[in-house]
Amino acid sequence: MARYGMALDYKSCINCKACESACKEENGILLGADKHRIWVGVPEMEGIFPNLSIGSSSYAPSQCQQCDNAPCQEVCPTNATYYDDNGVVRVNPEQCILCTYCMQACPYDARYIDDRTMTVDKCNFCSDTRLINGETTTACQATCPTKVRIFGDLDDPNSEISQVLRDREHYSLKTHLGTKPKLYYLT
Amino acid sequence: MKTEISRRRFLQGSAALTVVAVSGAATALIEKEEHDKVASFGLRKTQWSDKLTEVPTLCEMCVNKCAAIARVEDGVITKLNPNPLFPKSRNMLCARGNAGIQALEDPDRLKYPLIRVGKRGEGKFKRVTWDEAYEHIKNKMVKILDEEKDNRSTIGYCAGEGMAEHTYVSFMQDKIGSSNFVNHATICLTTTIAGYTLTLGGYGQADLENAEYVIMAGANRAEAIVTPDTMDMFKRTKGRGAKLVVIDPRFTNTASHADKWLPIEVGTDLAFVLALTHVAISEGLYNKKFTQENMSDFEAYKKHILDKNYTPEWAEKITGIKANEIREVARDFMAHAPRSIYYQGRRTAWSFQDFQVRRAQAIFTAMGGGVDKKGGILFGKKLELGKHEIPSPSYFNAEPRIEKDKAAVVGTSGSWIAWRNTIIDGTAPYPVRAFFAYKQNPMLSVPNTSKTRQMLEKMDLVVVIDTMPSDTVMMADVVLPESHYLEREDPVKTFGGSEPSIALRKKVVDAKYDTKPVIEMMRELGEKLAKPLFEISKKYDEELQELIEDAQDEGGEEKVYKQEGYDLAEGYKHSQETINHHMVTSVYGEEAWKTLREKGIFYPDMDKYFKKKSVNTYQYYPEHKKSYSVIKGELDVEPYHDTCVDTKEIGVLKKEFRTATSKIACALYNLEKKKGVDAMPTWREELYTPTPQGRFRFITGRHGQFTQSGTSNNALLLDLMDENYLWINKRVAQEKGINFGDNIEVKSSIGAIQIKAYPTEKIGPNVVFFIHGFGAESSELTLAHHKGANDNMIIEDHYEKSFGSAAMHETIVDIRRV
Ligand code: SF4
Ligand code: SF4
Ligand code: SF4
Ligand code: SF4
């Protein structure tokens, strides 16, 4: 039993998309540019050549926020979306009926449809591929050249993620919605 | 919320994707015929059965050779993970590294030897046995060499970068005996290697882990990944320890990490560096002690810079960069020195003045004292490996290379463009009649594709060794399929630097098809060719005839054949594993070999030094064991620790042109005297053409999801970026009525291509850009075929005249919507 979360040193991101490839390989995600559990947000560049705003061009690596209070779970009529013992929001494809309510409910656009199973899929912190087999990092974290991600147990005060969140300022996304995300962006 | 976070892909970096368009294109193709089984592309979850093994190896999706650990189940690779033990790759695999599985599983791979049956370039081949392929090569070579009276140089050959490259080059150079090698260096890094080596004594390694101020000009390390530079740099940008100034006509992913981005007029870098130097000199900002002790002719250089009046105001007019910006950069650089680096860069085949740009950068860095010092340019150490000698015969009738006079200094690796052009313009002193290519795709990689085609068409024999049916493979007579990097063991390699180590690419899975590693091809081809070619030498080579005469009493011909290295298979007879074993154990013993095979990496005391520091980071060497400052007395350092450059060749260069060898050279008087190349960096107005009003300068570049043209058929990578787009300034596009996705014709004096438009403010009004590597013609590349455009169809074949390095950014183009 743990409560997994992820801190992102997003300033280190170079938008190389290694994380996206690694996630696909590890989790057997369908090929296709719109099939992915993880992505990098790139804002529109502000300014006019040659006066561009460098600050406006920061990359925003993202994936499912693993909300503690997940709207996707709330709306799921079959309980296909559920919290597992580690606080990870998971989808059970056996129970998913592709009503897509969760996709509409998710404020972070974290879900997509797996055309093979015709069910909804999203990041599960590599629970069934890595964590269950004793790995302590996620595929996206392990492969990243600049080591953007720190994954770990938020309930363990000695874990690196807990320490980092104590020591460094951070923010989460759309907190006003009360979703209580467990992805933390380090500033 | 600070930035937009959405799974929608924006037009970004080098990619311009829209979800709908791309998913349609990519999946439609994948579902086609052979590409029907998604599973065949290797997107397979690991089953974690008891059959699972983990095998350490090295990535070959680009030149960096990152350490990987392959998970193998039932002979199938299900995942590639980073191997944390390798100091150079710092526990990472990029997108391409992850997609190595798709490269291995690509149904389009070359699967068996082929011989052409149709017209050259038509793409019609028949499957043959290896012996038939060798036999074909032998018959042609015997005929050609007989007709050319044993002038071995009639066989030309090229190579792309790779760990097995040396095996192939040694065979062609030392065994076959041809001087006509064209390395890929002159379409890549020749000028920076030569510039830094002749100036500092070595190319060195930029210590981006400790530098406080870095100028990156043109080098786009966030996209053109170089290890460990990319990882070291971008963990410390954005106010976290290292200031980064990016000089680039485009706003790249690297620029988005910069403290200052200065778009420069293409081709004017030299003026910028000279002006920085002028500021440092006129304001007395340089390190006086260091320059006095370590630099030769610095006083003369100072005088030169001041006399020429290379002021920031002068440079502003040329570069478009404001004089006050130049002053600020020079002052900041020197304020942070010696932890300041003008980054060497890698591909520096841009303009006619590239060599002098790199010289000026190196001198400027040295003026701050940042050479052989922590946070500066380091030379580090290299762990020795045992020797694997290959005896080489000398061929009396082998002529010197054909383009040796086409640039001031043309070394053993040649000048690609000059060499090719010499063949087709009729100025060659003798005919080059055969051409071998290994792991290079000159049809896409060398400026002016149609001239490369003409060159290949002139050949009596074209042999191509590769893993994929590239455009160059389509021009071949004989195709020898190489085993994929995950299917073979390569020569063990030592990686120098402040944290040196030895790494091994070990075979992970058995070859899927009838393919071979290069060493086996050289062995078998050697066996096939040795005697017949020896007969030809006997017929024409007077020295050989004499040797045989002299040896008449003690074995005669047979003895000469053996002793002088005419047995062409000699040196390739053992397996790669046996050779590697010898190279490692002869220096470090059996224990080291065991470690290397089990872990993929070895360096002395690794067991003591290597430590996990946090969930993501590792210590390779304790701080006091890192090799930051290594020079004691003579400045005699390894030029470069990579396979891209021939160390012997650089050694010759240094010996010939560096006079005060123990110092950093501000002036290269020997180079001027012997070769007419400016002794000191000097701006040459006549070598620079400003972009005419209303027209555009074309520039090209690399990025992080594809490596040149080699990965263009990779299904997983095509998910990330499906084709290349033309960057054009948004306002210019608006004036011309060009919208995103419109088809644009880009036309230069040598050709025209069509490509989709990407209007953006990230590029200036007189420049257009698209990335290199797309636009394959080969219909055997199911996914890459006719995707995007080939830059070398329009890049004119200019080269600079110091080293014969391509000047790829000297092409002016016109554009129109079609
Ligand atoms: S792997 Fe790391 S640097 Fe690359 S895109 Fe993902 S988060 Fe960014
Ligand atoms: S981010 Fe979306 S999918 Fe993930 S837990 Fe929150 S609401 Fe559910
Ligand atoms: S944690 Fe695992 S499942 Fe989630 S995005 Fe990363 S790699 Fe994919
Ligand atoms: S940088 Fe990427 S492609 Fe190159 S060797 Fe490393 S993992 Fe492979």
Side-chain angles (χ1 to χ4, degrees):
Chain A
M1 278 264 290
R3 203 174 138 258
Y4 287 127
M6 196 176 257
L8 292 98
D9 230 331
Y10 74 96
K11 284 184 187 164
S12 296
C13 181
I14 53 172
N15 192 16
C16 73
K17 302 189 176 78
C19 46
E20 185 174 330
S21 305
C23 177
K24 283 200 168 187
E25 295 286 2
E26 186 71 275
N27 298 298
I29 308 297
L30 200 60
L31 282 173
D34 59 344
K35 309 294 179 201
H36 48 89
R37 290 180 171 185
I38 179 170
W39 64 93
V40 182
V42 181
E44 280 287 1
M45 190 88 221
E46 286 167 21
I48 284 181
F49 183 95
N51 302 309
L52 302 181
S53 150
I54 296 178
S56 76
S57 71
S58 228
Y59 301 115
S62 200
Q63 63 220 68
C64 165
Q65 301 281 324
Q66 303 296 352
C67 307
D68 264 351
N69 186 17
C72 60
Q73 190 271 339
E74 228 163 86
V75 300
C76 180
T78 64
N79 284 326
T81 294
Y82 66 102
Y83 300 99
D84 76 5
D85 289 347
N86 296 321
V88 180
V89 180
R90 308 267 296 265
V91 183
N92 179 355
E94 302 293 316
Q95 271 166 263
C96 176
I97 54 167
L98 201 63
C99 66
T100 69
Y101 292 166
C102 56
M103 292 180 75
Q104 287 151 40
C106 171
Y108 305 96
D109 203 5
R111 296 174 162 245
Y112 73 97
I113 297 169
D114 182 334
D115 297 341
R116 290 168 301 191
T117 52
M118 290 313 277
T119 56
V120 174
D121 188 51
K122 66 165 196 70
C123 163
N124 66 5
F125 276 163
C126 297
S127 291
D128 61 329
T129 46
R130 289 174 76 97
L131 301 187
I132 196 173
N133 294 302
E135 296 277 344
T136 54
T137 57
T138 65
C140 52
Q141 169 189 10
T143 214
C144 177
T146 53
K147 295 293 168 250
V148 164
R149 290 173 172 83
I150 300 170
F151 171 77
D153 184 1
L154 298 164
D155 278 351
D156 174 2
N158 296 319
S159 68
E160 193 167 323
I161 187 169
S162 298
Q163 288 173 28
V164 163
L165 292 177
R166 275 199 302 273
D167 295 348
R168 291 179 57 183
E169 282 191 32
H170 55 268
Y171 63 93
S172 293
L173 304 177
K174 304 189 182 175
T175 44
H176 62 280
L177 298 175
T179 49
K180 300 198 181 142
K182 292 201 289 290
L183 251 57
Y184 305 91
Y185 290 81
L186 301 168
T187 55
Chain B
M1 197 177 104
K2 296 208 168 153
T3 44
E4 178 72 32
I5 304 217
S6 157
R7 59 186 292 112
R8 190 165 78 81
R9 286 158 193 272
F10 289 87
L11 303 173
Q12 49 187 250
S14 354
L17 297 178
T18 52
V19 172
V20 185
V22 172
S23 70
T27 43
L29 276 170
I30 289 152
E31 277 154 19
K32 222 176 77 184
E33 295 164 36
E34 273 189 284
H35 294 254
D36 52 355
K37 277 181 259 128
V38 166
S40 73
F41 283 106
L43 290 184
R44 266 169 286 211
K45 284 195 204 179
T46 310
Q47 299 306 312
W48 299 86
S49 62
D50 3 325
K51 290 190 202 120
L52 185 126
T53 52
E54 294 198 303
V55 186
T57 188
L58 298 179
C59 181
E60 194 181 55
M61 294 293 281
C62 84
V63 302
N64 284 313
K65 304 166 191 69
C66 296
I69 299 174
R71 270 193 223 140
V72 192
E73 238 167 5
D74 266 337
V76 172
I77 301 176
T78 56
K79 179 79 173 68
L80 294 165
N81 285 310
N83 180 353
L85 280 167
F86 192 26
K88 185 176 188 293
S89 63
R90 307 252 199 275
N91 189 31
M92 82 95 180
L93 282 186
C94 78
R96 296 163 298 171
N98 278 281
I101 299 177
Q102 277 65 38
L104 174 73
E105 308 268 344
D106 193 325
D108 291 343
R109 265 180 65 188
L110 295 169
K111 303 183 182 77
Y112 28 76
L114 299 167
I115 290 180
R116 172 169 68 84
V117 288
K119 280 208 303 258
R120 185 172 283 145
E122 206 179 31
K124 289 212 181 98
F125 296 93
K126 65 170 184 214
R127 178 179 183 167
V128 295
T129 64
W130 283 91
D131 195 61
E132 286 166 331
Y134 298 142
E135 191 66 25
H136 186 100
I137 296 170
K138 182 198 78 185
N139 292 338
K140 288 276 174 139
M141 296 238 320
V142 165
K143 181 170 186 290
I144 294 168
L145 283 170
D146 196 10
E147 285 168 11
E148 297 305 321
K149 304 199 168 38
D150 204 37
N151 172 15
R152 299 296 176 123
S153 301
T154 195
I155 317 285
Y157 60 105
C158 75
E161 195 281 342
M163 287 176 88
E165 178 192 346
H166 183 70
T167 309
Y168 159 85
V169 173
S170 74
F171 183 78
M172 301 302 297
Q173 199 158 49
D174 304 331
K175 288 300 206 179
I176 299 290
S178 166
S179 58
N180 277 315
F181 172 39
V182 271
N183 191 8
H184 61 286
T186 50
I187 49 172
C188 188
L189 40 54
T190 290
T191 59
T192 190
I193 296 287
Y196 275 80
T197 305
L198 287 178
T199 308
L200 303 183
Y203 173 79
Q205 168 202 7
D207 183 10
L208 301 180
E209 215 177 10
N210 296 295
E212 289 173 8
Y213 196 90
V214 180
I215 303 177
M216 283 199 178
N220 180 10
R221 281 298 157 268
E223 295 178 80
I225 295 171
V226 169
T227 63
D229 304 15
T230 296
M231 292 87 87
D232 288 348
M233 182 81 250
F234 300 105
K235 287 177 196 161
R236 300 178 58 242
T237 48
K238 296 183 180 268
R240 297 175 299 168
K243 281 203 177 131
L244 175 64
V245 176
V246 171
I247 316 291
D248 202 310
R250 293 193 295 139
F251 189 90
T252 59
N253 287 10
T254 304
S256 85
H257 275 262
D259 294 271
K260 203 187 260 303
W261 168 60
L262 302 171
I264 189 167
E265 283 296 330
V266 180
T268 66
D269 285 57
L270 182 57
F272 177 73
V273 190
L274 291 171
L276 291 180
T277 310
H278 191 277
V279 175
I281 290 172
S282 58
E283 298 185 8
L285 304 174
Y286 55 92
N287 185 328
K288 296 180 183 94
K289 187 163 178 289
F290 187 90
T291 46
Q292 203 162 39
E293 286 173 0
N294 300 295
M295 293 171 78
S296 64
D297 299 305
F298 183 59
E299 288 306 314
Y301 190 57
K302 266 164 67 178
K303 187 168 175 317
H304 165 74
I305 296 287
L306 296 175
D307 286 355
K308 294 273 181 189
N309 219 13
Y310 292 138
T311 62
E313 283 70 21
W314 163 80
E316 175 176 334
K317 282 193 222 101
I318 299 169
T319 62
I321 297 174
K322 295 265 176 294
N324 59 356
E325 295 277 21
I326 296 174
R327 284 209 170 78
E328 195 184 310
V329 172
R331 288 170 190 157
D332 280 356
F333 185 98
M334 288 302 165
H336 287 279
R339 293 200 179 201
S340 293
I341 298 171
Y342 204 121
Y343 186 72
Q344 305 100 308
R346 214 175 143 101
R347 185 179 68 95
T348 46
W350 303 333
S351 78
F352 293 119
Q353 309 198 66
D354 281 346
F355 170 63
Q356 299 295 358
V357 175
R358 302 297 143 175
R359 286 257 298 133
Q361 291 180 190
I363 297 172
F364 184 68
T365 305
M367 283 165 61
V371 177
D372 192 40
K373 272 202 198 80
K374 185 172 174 176
I377 290 175
L378 307 177
F379 301 114
K381 280 205 178 113
K382 188 168 159 180
L383 302 170
E384 284 312 316
L385 281 172
K387 296 262 174 302
H388 175 60
E389 301 282 0
I390 297 174
S392 55
S394 45
Y395 297 101
F396 188 59
N397 298 340
E399 298 280 344
R401 46 184 324 120
I402 52 168
E403 88 291 25
K404 66 179 173 45
D405 301 323
K406 297 279 166 89
V409 184
V410 180
T412 48
S413 48
S415 158
W416 231 119
I417 295 177
W419 187 82
R420 179 201 60 197
N421 290 4
T422 301
I423 291 175
I424 59 174
D425 68 11
T427 57
Y430 55 87
V432 174
R433 296 177 55 184
F435 185 73
F436 283 66
Y438 168 62
K439 205 177 176 284
Q440 196 180 20
N441 183 12
M443 286 294 286
L444 251 66
S445 62
V446 182
N448 202 335
T449 299
S450 71
K451 283 195 179 172
T452 304
R453 183 189 305 277
Q454 281 175 48
M455 183 271 280
L456 291 171
E457 271 164 359
K458 283 184 89 114
M459 296 293 156
D460 293 326
L461 173 68
V462 177
V463 180
V464 181
I465 305 171
D466 210 324
T467 57
M468 293 296 289
S470 68
D471 286 16
T472 305
V473 165
M474 289 299 110
M475 295 294 290
D477 303 331
V478 183
V479 180
L480 304 178
E482 190 192 18
S483 297
H484 185 267
Y485 72 89
L486 294 164
E487 299 173 328
R488 60 174 207 249
E489 177 149 338
D490 271 344
V492 61
K493 192 165 163 52
T494 173
F495 293 83
S498 54
E499 302 177 291
S501 64
I502 292 169
L504 180 66
R505 172 175 295 140
K506 205 164 87 169
K507 171 174 158 176
V508 179
V509 287
D510 288 334
K512 218 178 158 78
Y513 306 111
D514 187 14
T515 59
K516 290 179 194 287
V518 165
I519 188 165
E520 274 175 40
M521 294 183 209
M522 298 302 111
R523 179 190 313 146
E524 293 167 358
L525 192 58
E527 280 162 2
K528 181 68 82 183
L529 294 174
K531 289 279 178 178
L533 296 197
F534 184 64
E535 288 304 316
I536 292 173
S537 291
K538 261 168 59 191
K539 197 161 150 194
Y540 299 105
D541 191 325
E542 286 169 17
E543 291 216 335
L544 175 61
Q545 288 159 3
E546 264 173 48
L547 273 177
I548 295 174
E549 277 271 329
D550 293 351
Q552 223 42 277
D553 302 338
E554 344 125 45
E557 187 180 317
E558 197 50 33
K559 184 188 157 215
V560 172
Y561 175 81
K562 278 222 178 79
Q563 277 194 350
E564 302 297 320
Y566 286 96
D567 175 359
L568 302 186
E570 197 188 351
Y572 312 95
K573 286 202 169 133
H574 297 292
S575 72
Q576 190 63 60
E577 190 180 332
T578 308
I579 298 168
N580 287 344
H581 176 257
H582 164 75
M583 287 175 79
V584 174
T585 53
S586 61
V587 186
Y588 304 97
E590 288 291 341
E591 214 34 51
W593 176 244
K594 224 177 115 217
T595 306
L596 187 61
R597 288 202 88 71
E598 264 168 33
K599 314 233 182 223
I601 308 296
F602 166 81
Y603 53 91
D605 291 319
M606 180 166 90
D607 51 341
K608 265 197 279 170
Y609 296 166
F610 181 78
K611 286 197 180 90
K612 186 161 183 157
K613 283 202 309 197
S614 73
V615 294
N616 284 325
T617 51
Y618 296 84
Q619 166 185 293
Y620 300 100
Y621 283 82
E623 189 63 16
H624 67 283
K625 292 284 180 190
K626 291 187 190 171
S627 308
Y628 289 123
S629 304
V630 296
I631 294 171
K632 305 200 171 57
E634 277 277 283
L635 199 142
D636 184 22
V637 289
E638 276 284 335
Y640 193 56
H641 310 293
D642 212 328
T643 31
C644 291
V645 173
D646 181 353
T647 15
K648 262 191 278 171
E649 181 179 358
I650 296 284
V652 171
L653 201 64
K654 276 167 69 172
K655 214 163 148 197
E656 220 176 313
F657 303 117
R658 274 175 59 82
T659 27
T661 48
S662 60
K663 303 247 173 174
I664 290 161
C666 294
L668 296 171
Y669 294 119
N670 269 359
L671 191 60
E672 184 163 280
K673 231 183 299 159
K674 294 190 203 168
K675 300 288 181 182
V677 175
D678 287 339
M680 291 188 269
T682 305
W683 174 257
R684 293 274 170 201
E685 202 66 52
E686 68 277 17
L687 292 180
Y688 171 65
T689 329
T691 312
Q693 196 70 33
R695 306 185 70 194
F696 303 88
R697 192 175 285 255
F698 177 71
I699 59 173
T700 183
R702 311 291 183 258
H703 74 129
Q705 283 91 45
F706 287 89
T707 304
Q708 325 294 18
S709 59
T711 55
S712 61
N713 204 57
N714 191 293
L716 186 66
L717 298 177
L718 285 164
D719 271 10
L720 305 176
M721 172 169 162
D722 66 333
E723 61 187 291
N724 51 1
Y725 284 73
L726 182 79
W727 287 39
I728 176 170
N729 181 273
K730 216 179 207 166
R731 283 160 294 157
V732 172
Q734 224 155 38
E735 269 167 42
K736 292 181 174 286
I738 293 171
N739 294 310
F740 171 72
D742 285 354
N743 218 16
I744 307 297
E745 182 193 74
V746 186
K747 197 167 174 232
S748 74
S749 75
I750 64 149
I753 54 95
Q754 287 192 13
I755 187 168
K756 288 180 192 151
Y758 167 46
T760 174
E761 283 299 334
K762 296 194 288 190
I763 195 163
N766 61 354
V767 188
V768 288
F769 160 84
F770 61 85
I771 71 145
H772 170 72
F774 284 79
E777 290 287 335
S778 168
S779 52
E780 297 300 309
L781 297 167
T782 315
L783 303 180
H785 177 60
H786 284 175
K787 274 230 167 95
N790 167 8
D791 51 358
N792 284 317
M793 297 267 287
I794 54 169
I795 299 176
E796 294 162 3
D797 43 323
H798 302 293
Y799 57 93
E800 56 84 52
K801 296 300 184 303
S802 316
F803 291 86
S805 165
M808 298 189 191
H809 295 174
E810 297 288 1
T811 298
I812 306 294
V813 297
D814 296 302
I815 63 167
R816 68 183 179 95
R817 207 174 60 175
V818 286

